[in-house]
Amino acid sequence: HESLYISGGTFETRGTAEVDGDFTLARNAVLSANGDDASFEAFGSTVVDGGTLRAYWGGELRLSKATRYLGSSNGNNQHRYLYAEGPGSRIDLSGVQTMVLGTHYDSRIYVQTRYGGEIDLSGVVEINDQDSGDNRYRAVQVTSVGVGSVIDLSALEVMRDVRGSSSGGDSLWSSLDAYRGGTLLVPNVKHLEGVYVVTPRVELPSLEWMYSGQLTADGDTNLPQLSGFSSARVYVQNGGHLNAANANYLRHSTITLRNGGTADFSSAHQIDSAGFNVYDGVTLTLPAATSYKHESTGNSQHRYLYAEGTGSRIELPNVTEIRGGTHYDSRIYIQARSGGNVSLPSVANIFDPDGGDNRYRAIQVTSFGPGSVIDLSALEVMRDIRGSSSGGDSLWSSLDADRGGTLLV
């Protein structure tokens, strides 16, 4: 049995190539199959950690004996590619069970299909980022583009990016996406951390929780297994409906409904530190919540309950108290603008806690513009322990209605 070790550079086949013995593609090396007659198959033990795999226009890479794929970085700004382009192009990595990012700055893995290409990663259970090293700008980005393009991650349960966030600063989302008719199969994914995903382009029927990621529902989305979002961003837009009726927590998350998007969070009773933004005449109702706490984790954290536009409503019918944060410059803004409505009819107490750093803390309630209404009709006590003019290190909490807005107290 002959073995093959590709130590560097690019190995491209335009015909048939087979390896009966062990096969190793070294870190930073490239293996490519190009054209209808091109195929490469390894029958023995297969290691492709840190390598790039490319299949073009009918070419096939059959590497089912590989059991893992590691980014295996040995320096900054190293990007690995698993890429299949064109009808009949296929990369078979069906034996791979784990994928792991490199440890250096700007380590990335791109898994991409275009114009009918296919990548079989159907055995992968976990895509993981490492806790060690320099985690700035690290990401795994999975994208299927175009009719007939398929990425099969049907066994995937967990995808984790330890610094996943928006591209501002020194963080970057990992992502799952499919568009222009592409297909990304993740029917069993349960846990997403630091991952950006657009539904229903990518369907998530088994998702149980999302931490520190972003979900954009660009159409009707059903999440029947979801228990909640934590430190996540959720956008529901363009007339889509997000059914998360079984979710019970939304802590440290921001929920935004816009362009006709609606959502069902009817079981969500843990909403502390969440932010809610509603636009364009839709209603967000949270009947299970009975209190709202800022729950600051650091300085200068601001929470928003914000409704803008005629018919836009945030309804918290059973919340009885609102409590501020304990850190410097902790604030809660409750705002209705341009005909929006924030309904808090059962709130009896709004108060600032005694502990922590009370400088610049405030809870500010503002209804602005004709038709705007904030309902605090049960309010009895509102307390800011350092409330004062904005001079020095104090700040008023406030109740205000301006330019035709209504505040019921």
Side-chain angles (χ1 to χ4, degrees):
H1 296 282
E2 296 294 332
S3 297
L4 177 62
Y5 178 84
I6 300 175
S7 61
T10 298
F11 181 102
E12 181 173 281
T13 179
R14 293 175 180 263
T16 300
E18 296 180 346
V19 180
D20 292 330
D22 296 342
F23 171 63
T24 300
L25 181 69
R27 178 168 47 198
N28 300 316
V30 178
L31 175 63
S32 176
N34 193 343
D36 287 336
D37 298 323
S39 66
F40 181 99
E41 186 164 7
F43 293 95
S45 176
T46 300
V47 176
V48 293
D49 295 336
T52 283
L53 305 174
R54 300 182 184 275
Y56 296 100
W57 303 108
E60 294 188 58
L61 299 176
R62 304 181 190 123
L63 303 167
S64 63
K65 300 300 182 183
T67 59
R68 69 182 191 186
Y69 184 83
L70 308 182
S72 295
S73 61
N74 61 350
N76 296 336
N77 306 307
Q78 293 182 351
H79 300 174
R80 316 303 188 196
Y81 292 85
L82 309 180
Y83 184 84
E85 178 180 316
S89 301
R90 190 168 188 271
I91 300 174
D92 181 358
L93 290 167
S94 56
V96 170
Q97 298 176 17
T98 60
M99 298 183 69
V100 183
L101 262 172
T103 58
H104 290 78
Y105 172 90
D106 192 29
S107 295
R108 303 187 198 179
I109 298 173
Y110 292 98
V111 183
Q112 300 174 333
T113 55
R114 296 178 65 87
Y115 309 121
E118 300 180 22
I119 298 179
D120 186 349
L121 289 161
S122 58
V124 171
V125 176
E126 183 175 74
I127 298 175
N128 207 355
D129 190 8
Q130 302 188 59
D131 293 314
S132 58
D134 185 341
N135 58 27
R136 295 174 300 157
Y137 285 115
R138 296 196 318 215
V140 178
Q141 298 187 333
V142 183
T143 310
S144 181
V145 182
V147 175
S149 299
V150 179
I151 299 174
D152 187 348
L153 281 163
S154 53
L156 183 67
E157 296 183 2
V158 177
M159 186 170 177
R160 175 174 177 262
D161 183 332
V162 299
R163 201 185 180 97
S165 183
S166 64
S167 56
D170 54 11
S171 301
L172 186 68
W173 298 117
S174 286
S175 61
L176 297 170
D177 201 5
Y179 56 94
R180 297 180 185 173
T183 299
L184 173 54
L185 302 173
V186 286
N188 290 300
V189 72
K190 296 177 174 62
H191 303 155
L192 295 175
E193 178 179 342
V195 177
Y196 172 87
V197 60
V198 179
T199 61
R201 298 189 323 216
V202 177
E203 296 184 356
L204 302 169
S206 301
L207 184 66
E208 295 177 359
W209 59 259
M210 173 180 275
Y211 172 76
S212 187
Q214 178 172 314
L215 184 144
T216 298
D218 207 28
D220 291 344
T221 299
N222 190 28
L223 301 177
Q225 305 302 320
L226 186 73
S227 59
F229 295 102
S230 182
S231 300
R233 302 177 187 179
V234 179
Y235 294 89
V236 189
Q237 59 192 31
N238 298 330
H241 178 71
L242 174 61
N243 181 7
N246 295 321
N248 56 55
Y249 63 88
L250 304 171
R251 299 180 68 237
H252 296 285
S253 296
T254 300
I255 311 299
T256 300
L257 309 184
R258 60 191 182 190
N259 299 326
T262 59
D264 183 349
F265 288 112
S266 54
S267 298
H269 59 90
Q270 298 179 41
I271 64 168
D272 295 334
S273 67
F276 303 101
N277 304 294
V278 175
Y279 303 88
D280 306 312
V282 299
T283 298
L284 175 63
T285 304
L286 299 163
T290 58
S291 67
Y292 180 81
K293 302 179 182 68
H294 186 291
E295 282 201 351
S296 60
T297 59
N299 296 336
S300 303
Q301 294 180 351
H302 301 172
R303 317 297 190 205
Y304 291 84
L305 308 181
Y306 183 84
E308 178 181 314
T310 301
S312 300
R313 294 179 59 87
I314 297 173
E315 297 180 347
L316 297 166
N318 298 310
V319 169
T320 60
E321 70 171 19
I322 296 173
R323 182 182 301 179
T326 58
H327 289 78
Y328 172 89
D329 191 30
S330 296
R331 303 186 197 179
I332 297 174
Y333 292 100
I334 302 172
Q335 299 176 334
R337 295 181 65 90
S338 305
N341 186 302
V342 180
S343 179
L344 295 158
S346 301
V347 171
N349 296 289
I350 298 176
F351 61 95
D352 186 16
D354 291 318
D357 184 343
N358 57 29
R359 294 174 301 155
Y360 285 113
R361 295 195 321 213
I363 299 171
Q364 298 186 334
V365 183
T366 309
S367 181
F368 186 90
S372 301
V373 179
I374 298 177
D375 184 354
L376 283 165
S377 53
L379 184 65
E380 297 178 358
V381 177
M382 184 170 178
R383 172 177 178 260
D384 183 335
I385 61 176
R386 200 185 180 100
S388 182
S389 64
S390 56
D393 54 10
S394 299
L395 186 68
W396 295 118
S397 287
S398 61
L399 297 169
D400 196 10
D402 193 12
R403 299 191 184 182
T406 300
L407 174 54
L408 303 175
V409 284

